[in-house]
Short mmCIF file of all heavy atoms in Angstrom, two decimals:
data_model
loop_
_atom_site.label_atom_id
_atom_site.label_comp_id
_atom_site.label_asym_id
_atom_site.label_seq_id
_atom_site.Cartn_x
_atom_site.Cartn_y
_atom_site.Cartn_z
N LYS A 80 162.94 86.65 70.05
CA LYS A 80 161.52 86.49 70.41
C LYS A 80 160.65 87.47 69.63
O LYS A 80 161.06 88.61 69.38
CB LYS A 80 161.38 86.73 71.92
CG LYS A 80 159.98 86.50 72.46
CD LYS A 80 159.94 86.68 73.98
CE LYS A 80 158.56 86.47 74.57
NZ LYS A 80 158.54 86.64 76.03
N ALA A 129 153.36 88.04 75.11
CA ALA A 129 154.15 87.51 76.23
C ALA A 129 153.32 87.23 77.47
O ALA A 129 153.83 87.19 78.58
CB ALA A 129 155.33 88.45 76.56
N MET A 130 152.00 87.05 77.27
CA MET A 130 151.12 86.78 78.40
C MET A 130 150.83 85.29 78.46
O MET A 130 150.00 84.80 77.70
CB MET A 130 149.81 87.56 78.25
CG MET A 130 150.04 89.05 78.26
SD MET A 130 148.51 89.92 77.95
CE MET A 130 149.14 91.57 77.74
N GLY A 131 151.51 84.60 79.33
CA GLY A 131 151.26 83.17 79.45
C GLY A 131 152.50 82.45 79.92
O GLY A 131 153.57 83.04 80.09
N SER A 132 152.35 81.15 80.15
CA SER A 132 153.43 80.35 80.70
C SER A 132 153.66 79.08 79.89
O SER A 132 154.30 78.16 80.36
CB SER A 132 153.10 79.96 82.15
OG SER A 132 152.80 81.10 82.90
N GLY A 154 156.75 79.18 79.00
CA GLY A 154 156.45 80.43 78.28
C GLY A 154 156.65 81.62 79.20
O GLY A 154 156.97 81.45 80.37
N SER A 155 156.57 82.79 78.68
CA SER A 155 156.11 83.00 77.33
C SER A 155 157.20 82.83 76.27
O SER A 155 156.87 82.68 75.08
CB SER A 155 155.51 84.40 77.21
OG SER A 155 156.50 85.38 77.47
N THR A 174 162.03 87.61 76.77
CA THR A 174 161.71 88.72 77.66
C THR A 174 161.05 88.14 78.89
O THR A 174 160.37 87.11 78.82
CB THR A 174 160.76 89.74 77.00
OG1 THR A 174 159.56 89.07 76.60
CG2 THR A 174 161.42 90.40 75.80
N ASP A 175 161.31 88.78 80.02
CA ASP A 175 160.87 88.25 81.30
C ASP A 175 160.14 89.35 82.05
O ASP A 175 160.75 90.33 82.49
CB ASP A 175 162.11 87.77 82.08
CG ASP A 175 161.79 86.93 83.30
OD1 ASP A 175 160.93 87.37 84.08
OD2 ASP A 175 162.40 85.86 83.48
N THR A 176 158.82 89.19 82.17
CA THR A 176 157.99 90.17 82.87
C THR A 176 157.59 89.60 84.23
O THR A 176 157.44 90.33 85.20
CB THR A 176 156.75 90.48 82.00
OG1 THR A 176 157.19 90.93 80.72
CG2 THR A 176 155.86 91.53 82.63
N GLY A 177 157.44 88.26 84.24
CA GLY A 177 157.10 87.59 85.50
C GLY A 177 157.73 86.21 85.57
O GLY A 177 157.35 85.38 86.38
N GLY A 178 158.67 85.94 84.66
CA GLY A 178 159.33 84.63 84.68
C GLY A 178 159.56 84.05 83.30
O GLY A 178 160.07 82.93 83.15
N SER A 179 159.20 84.79 82.27
CA SER A 179 159.16 84.23 80.91
C SER A 179 160.49 83.89 80.27
O SER A 179 160.51 83.30 79.20
CB SER A 179 158.43 85.18 79.98
OG SER A 179 157.06 84.97 80.10
N VAL A 180 161.61 84.22 80.89
CA VAL A 180 162.89 83.69 80.42
C VAL A 180 163.27 82.49 81.29
O VAL A 180 163.64 81.42 80.79
CB VAL A 180 164.00 84.78 80.47
CG1 VAL A 180 165.38 84.13 80.35
CG2 VAL A 180 163.81 85.79 79.34
N TYR A 207 154.59 94.84 77.41
CA TYR A 207 153.50 94.13 78.09
C TYR A 207 153.24 94.93 79.38
O TYR A 207 152.24 95.61 79.47
CB TYR A 207 153.92 92.68 78.31
CG TYR A 207 153.22 91.89 79.38
CD1 TYR A 207 152.04 92.31 79.97
CD2 TYR A 207 153.75 90.66 79.80
CE1 TYR A 207 151.41 91.56 80.96
CE2 TYR A 207 153.12 89.91 80.79
CZ TYR A 207 151.97 90.37 81.38
OH TYR A 207 151.35 89.63 82.35
N TYR A 310 151.38 90.79 91.39
CA TYR A 310 151.87 90.78 90.01
C TYR A 310 150.71 90.82 89.01
O TYR A 310 150.71 91.61 88.07
CB TYR A 310 152.75 89.55 89.76
CG TYR A 310 153.05 89.34 88.29
CD1 TYR A 310 154.04 90.10 87.67
CD2 TYR A 310 152.33 88.42 87.52
CE1 TYR A 310 154.31 89.95 86.31
CE2 TYR A 310 152.59 88.27 86.18
CZ TYR A 310 153.57 89.03 85.58
OH TYR A 310 153.81 88.88 84.23
N TYR A 311 149.72 89.96 89.20
CA TYR A 311 148.64 89.89 88.20
C TYR A 311 147.75 91.13 88.22
O TYR A 311 147.12 91.45 87.23
CB TYR A 311 147.85 88.58 88.32
CG TYR A 311 148.57 87.49 87.53
CD1 TYR A 311 149.45 86.61 88.14
CD2 TYR A 311 148.44 87.42 86.14
CE1 TYR A 311 150.17 85.67 87.40
CE2 TYR A 311 149.14 86.48 85.39
CZ TYR A 311 150.00 85.61 86.02
OH TYR A 311 150.70 84.70 85.27
N ARG A 360 143.17 89.82 80.30
CA ARG A 360 144.04 90.72 81.07
C ARG A 360 143.69 92.19 80.85
O ARG A 360 143.82 93.00 81.75
CB ARG A 360 145.49 90.44 80.71
CG ARG A 360 145.83 89.00 81.07
CD ARG A 360 147.25 88.78 81.31
NE ARG A 360 147.51 87.35 81.38
CZ ARG A 360 148.66 86.84 81.72
NH1 ARG A 360 149.66 87.63 82.01
NH2 ARG A 360 148.82 85.53 81.77
N MET A 423 147.67 78.13 86.20
CA MET A 423 148.81 78.63 85.44
C MET A 423 149.41 79.85 86.14
O MET A 423 150.62 79.96 86.29
CB MET A 423 148.38 78.97 84.01
CG MET A 423 149.52 79.43 83.14
SD MET A 423 148.99 79.72 81.45
CE MET A 423 148.38 81.39 81.56
N ASP A 427 153.55 80.76 88.68
CA ASP A 427 154.56 81.82 88.59
C ASP A 427 155.03 82.28 89.96
O ASP A 427 155.79 83.24 90.07
CB ASP A 427 153.97 83.04 87.85
CG ASP A 427 153.66 82.74 86.40
OD1 ASP A 427 154.28 81.84 85.83
OD2 ASP A 427 152.78 83.43 85.83
N1 LIG B 21 153.56 83.85 83.08
C1 LIG B 21 153.61 85.25 83.39
C2 LIG B 21 152.43 85.96 82.77
O1 LIG B 21 151.67 85.33 82.10
C3 LIG B 21 154.91 85.87 82.97
C4 LIG B 21 154.95 86.27 81.56
C5 LIG B 21 156.21 86.99 81.19
O2 LIG B 21 157.18 87.00 81.94
N2 LIG B 21 156.19 87.62 80.05
O3 LIG B 21 152.24 87.14 82.97
#
Side-chain angles (χ1 to χ4, degrees):
K80 185 177 179 179
M130 297 175 190
S132 306
S155 62
T174 58
D175 192 312
T176 303
S179 277
V180 164
Y207 159 14
Y310 169 79
Y311 275 95
R360 299 205 191 187
M423 183 176 85
D427 295 335

